[in-house]
Amino acid sequence: MSQDTISVRDIARQLPGVVRRAPSIAKGLYYYSLKNDSKPLTLGTLVEHNAVKYGTRPAILADDRRISYAEFNAWANRIAHYLHAQGLKKGDSIAVLLENRPELLATVVGAAKIGVACAMLNTSQKGKVLAHSINLIEPQMIVVGEELASVFEGVRHQVTLGHPSPCLFMPDTDSLRDSGATPDGYINLAQMISGYRGNNPTVKTPPTLGDTAVYIYTSGTTGLPKAAPGSHRKFIKAYGGFGLMTLNMGPNDVLYCTLPLYHATALLVCWGSVLSGGSAIALRRRFSASAFWDDVRRYGASTFGYVGELCRYLLNQPPSPNDRHHGLTKMIGNGLRPSIWKPFKERFGIETVAELYASSEGNIGFSNFFNMENTVGFTTAPYALVKYHEGTRDPVRNAKGRMEKVKAGEPGLLLGEITAKWAFEGYTQKDATEKSILRDVFKKGDAWFNTGDVLKEIGWRHLQFVDRMGDTFRWKGENVSTTEVENIIDESGMVEEAIVYGVDIPGTNGKAGMVTLVPQQGGVDDFDVDALFRYLQDNLPPYAIPVFVRVTSAIEKTGTFKYKKADLKTAGYSVDRPGERVYAWLPRETGYTQVDEALVKRIEGGEIPF
């Protein structure tokens, strides 16, 4: 059941815990509030500090590997020296295409130490989408993991890289790492850095707090992925705000992370929190519900990073006597639905849910500092909840051209005020950045970041997430751009029209993708849905492939030639519309299955575990 209000009593109940964390909170507030962009406090200096203070303590745990802070810092230094020797300097960038393994973190820190930003490529991307993401940044070099070399080879001729020898290969097996065997056209980075020293690098123009450390990709609201620059400040804010103030991380803590490190939640929030306490991060390549608790016990994890879908998967596992046989007491992430919040905590013995709200590109974030129920927490940043047009990211303006705040408790479009302290870093594309800014909102000359999300206030400046608006939906913990998927389908040559949207499936988080399409040739009965599926697999990450396909002879439009998407969403995957066929991509199936009434009933009854 959703909690609608937070009372004085609720806050008071949490005060003893806040008092116990007082020293960590005070320290965290210092880092969270830093203003000087020229301050030489960066991701690299955080690691160097931990190498001195916690040198023998583990920094990274992965499979059977245990890497101490001293070892990790020296490893990153060798990468930094190598990149510097290749002529890379502050302001340059490299792309990183690696799965969740220690080499990714070492590469990010090594580059950061000399002021080189890492573009964190989504490992689910392939084809045109991957090529677009790389070319957005125009990196000097790219680091490609052995496990993703074939994916990169598929787009290698489509991307522009600035260095004469730009392709760096990161082996994934000991035999290949030791032998130095390397694919044609690549330089074996693991082999090359062995000849460089492990001392901290010194450069003429060292990076500072305000410099870009990483680029995080987001689907944004429309079109192909956008790249959002993330400064060292974002790591420092996570270090202070999440790691110290909210989680009170220490050297004995281990944070178990199965979230992909190309996500801001994993890279910035989880890892930033780990660094704050000299804690360890335990990595797994991909989330596994069946192996989750065994890993937690194996690594001695006290904390884990989550998205709501991950928690639902865990809760759907059969109950076990070992459900509380672990040391996990804290969790940090986003998207935990009110319907499973309390059941999850009670079943697994979780004490602290550090639910948060933030975006890669945004200037505003919320954190559940007081450990309240069913809330993204509160923020010290200036924000407003305003009236909006249903189904869009568009706010309502009154007769005077100004926006109006909603009443307390009412859902509203969340805006974050852009000020000198709360700067908006935006995207690499200036036009995309400008589209996210609203001007003259409450007075002439003011500027606000449009989050595109609807939230409501439930007391004491605490907000509760309501919905994600506009042309995106969230599925499997990922934002899916309807326009991006539509463009990919359009390029197949198989359809005349295609409209993509999200639909609800009982018992799941987010919305499943669905496309209604008109075949390019032939009728509804002749459409080759298997060929469409093969094409989508080649050009989209799995989470973006539509779960449902509706094939029709025409898509209804309004008098102004706008598609009636609301009617399509209402119809969902029902099969009661004459002359149409509906298909579903069922779990563990390798293609689409035609939907009939019996299958609709099974889906509606929660019998199929999407």
Side-chain angles (χ1 to χ4, degrees):
M1 180 179 295
S2 172
Q3 174 175 322
D4 291 324
T5 59
I6 291 177
S7 66
V8 176
R9 182 176 297 178
D10 294 326
I11 295 291
R13 195 177 294 125
Q14 301 299 328
L15 285 179
V18 173
V19 171
R20 285 194 299 272
R21 304 198 318 264
S24 183
I25 291 171
K27 182 180 178 182
L29 187 60
Y30 164 77
Y31 287 103
Y32 184 78
S33 303
L34 287 172
K35 300 178 182 179
N36 185 0
D37 276 353
S38 62
K39 191 176 182 66
L41 180 61
T42 65
L43 174 60
T45 61
L46 295 181
V47 172
E48 290 171 7
H49 170 268
N50 285 357
V52 173
K53 190 172 182 179
Y54 308 108
T56 60
R57 302 285 307 175
I60 304 173
L61 303 169
D63 298 322
D64 295 326
R65 299 171 71 182
R66 179 191 185 279
I67 303 165
S68 72
Y69 269 105
E71 292 167 336
F72 178 60
N73 186 54
W75 184 12
N77 287 339
R78 287 191 286 273
I79 293 175
H81 287 302
Y82 174 77
L83 294 177
H84 188 254
Q86 301 309 302
L88 271 64
K89 59 187 183 305
K90 178 176 175 177
D92 287 337
S93 64
I94 62 173
V96 178
L97 188 60
L98 291 164
E99 290 184 347
N100 272 25
R101 53 190 181 105
E103 287 81 359
L104 181 149
L105 298 180
T107 299
V108 172
V109 175
K113 286 189 176 219
I114 61 170
V116 172
C118 286
M120 310 304 298
L121 297 171
N122 185 324
T123 56
S124 296
Q125 291 180 353
K126 60 183 76 170
K128 295 175 182 177
V129 179
L130 177 60
H132 165 84
S133 295
I134 296 172
N135 288 332
L136 265 182
I137 303 300
E138 297 182 350
Q140 292 295 305
M141 309 177 90
I142 183 169
V143 180
V144 181
E146 178 185 346
E147 69 278 16
L148 292 164
S150 62
V151 174
F152 178 66
E153 278 299 302
V155 301
R156 186 173 171 183
H157 65 286
Q158 302 173 33
V159 302
T160 302
L161 301 167
H163 194 274
S165 302
C167 298
L168 304 176
F169 179 73
M170 189 66 82
D172 194 22
T173 58
D174 288 339
S175 59
L176 194 55
R177 188 180 299 113
D178 295 340
S179 70
T182 309
D184 290 342
Y186 290 82
I187 293 172
N188 190 316
L189 182 59
Q191 184 185 42
M192 292 301 298
I193 64 172
S194 62
Y196 288 83
R197 294 177 298 167
N199 62 310
N200 295 333
T202 301
V203 291
K204 290 183 178 179
T205 53
T208 61
L209 186 68
D211 291 330
T212 299
V214 293
Y215 292 97
I216 302 291
Y217 290 89
T218 173
S219 293
T221 57
T222 58
L224 290 163
K226 302 178 182 69
S231 65
H232 292 274
R233 174 189 296 281
K234 290 200 172 184
F235 279 100
I236 302 302
K237 279 189 175 294
Y239 180 100
F242 298 126
L244 294 174
M245 296 175 66
T246 302
L247 292 174
N248 190 25
M249 297 291 281
N252 293 319
D253 280 309
V254 175
L255 188 150
Y256 179 51
C257 182
T258 67
L259 303 176
L261 287 166
Y262 59 75
H263 258 197
T265 301
L267 190 70
L268 294 171
V269 175
C270 290
W271 192 31
S273 298
V274 164
L275 292 173
S276 74
S279 314
I281 187 168
L283 299 177
R284 185 180 178 89
R285 298 284 182 110
R286 296 174 186 84
F287 169 71
S288 167
S290 60
F292 184 90
W293 295 108
D294 288 337
D295 276 357
V296 165
R297 287 183 281 268
R298 173 188 181 186
Y299 294 123
S302 60
T303 315
F304 80 102
Y306 72 89
V307 292
E309 191 80 355
L310 181 155
C311 297
R312 185 177 65 81
Y313 288 145
L314 293 175
L315 203 56
N316 285 344
Q317 292 291 296
S320 164
N322 290 325
D323 279 348
R324 287 195 170 211
H325 181 55
H326 56 78
L328 207 64
T329 60
K330 301 178 285 190
M331 52 193 277
I332 186 165
N334 54 67
L336 186 63
R337 286 196 170 189
S339 60
I340 68 170
W341 190 298
K342 191 173 181 180
F344 190 87
K345 287 183 68 176
E346 291 181 348
R347 175 174 167 181
F348 299 114
I350 305 298
E351 298 170 7
T352 300
V353 177
E355 175 85 0
L356 60 93
Y357 172 87
S359 62
S360 304
E361 74 279 16
N363 69 331
I364 188 169
F366 289 75
S367 178
N368 192 14
F369 174 79
F370 286 102
N371 194 26
M372 307 303 293
E373 301 290 316
N374 305 323
T375 175
V376 299
F378 78 106
T379 183
T380 57
Y383 72 90
L385 296 174
V386 301
K387 296 178 181 179
Y388 62 95
H389 295 286
E390 286 285 349
T392 74
R393 288 169 55 93
D394 301 329
V396 173
R397 290 189 183 262
N398 60 25
K400 296 181 179 179
R402 301 291 186 249
M403 297 176 199
E404 297 181 357
K405 296 180 181 180
V406 298
K407 296 179 181 178
E410 289 186 353
L413 180 66
L414 175 64
L415 310 181
E417 188 173 13
I418 300 172
T419 66
K421 181 177 179 181
W422 302 100
F424 174 51
E425 296 184 9
Y427 305 99
T428 55
Q429 300 153 290
K430 291 183 179 179
D431 59 336
T433 299
E434 189 58 34
K435 286 179 181 177
S436 295
I437 299 175
L438 297 172
R439 302 185 186 279
D440 302 329
V441 172
F442 300 114
K443 60 184 180 181
K444 186 174 178 58
D446 64 356
W448 296 70
F449 166 59
N450 182 2
T451 68
D453 292 327
V454 175
L455 294 91
K456 67 178 181 180
E457 192 163 326
I458 58 174
W460 291 81
R461 287 179 63 86
H462 281 66
L463 299 190
Q464 190 176 82
F465 188 85
V466 177
D467 202 2
R468 190 173 302 277
M469 306 306 295
D471 294 319
T472 63
F473 58 88
R474 197 163 179 83
W475 182 243
K476 302 297 183 184
E478 298 274 0
N479 289 337
V480 180
S481 165
T482 60
T483 304
E484 174 188 335
V485 179
E486 287 167 356
N487 289 340
I488 293 293
I489 294 174
D490 286 342
E491 292 174 2
S492 70
M494 300 175 64
V495 304
E496 184 176 307
E497 295 178 276
I499 303 300
V500 175
Y501 45 95
V503 295
D504 292 312
I505 300 178
T508 65
N509 284 351
K511 294 181 184 294
M514 183 166 187
V515 57
T516 292
L517 60 84
V518 177
Q520 182 72 37
Q521 296 177 338
V524 171
D525 297 341
D526 300 325
F527 184 74
D528 191 347
V529 73
D530 293 327
L532 175 67
F533 184 80
R534 291 192 296 271
Y535 170 81
L536 295 174
Q537 277 195 312
D538 289 339
N539 289 278
L540 285 172
Y543 64 82
I545 296 175
V547 176
F548 298 102
V549 176
R550 181 181 293 278
V551 184
T552 185
S553 57
I555 303 176
E556 190 176 5
K557 305 177 185 66
T558 68
T560 54
F561 303 100
K562 292 182 179 179
Y563 289 105
K564 292 187 175 181
K565 190 177 283 191
D567 292 347
L568 295 174
K569 290 180 180 179
T570 300
Y573 43 84
S574 64
V575 292
D576 54 3
R577 291 162 57 118
E580 299 181 347
R581 286 195 179 190
V582 178
Y583 300 88
W585 180 22
L586 302 177
R588 292 177 292 280
E589 295 293 331
T590 57
Y592 285 115
T593 300
Q594 187 169 349
V595 177
D596 55 20
E597 286 287 356
L599 185 53
V600 170
K601 289 181 180 179
R602 290 182 63 203
I603 295 172
E604 292 292 338
E607 296 178 26
I608 299 176
F610 283 92

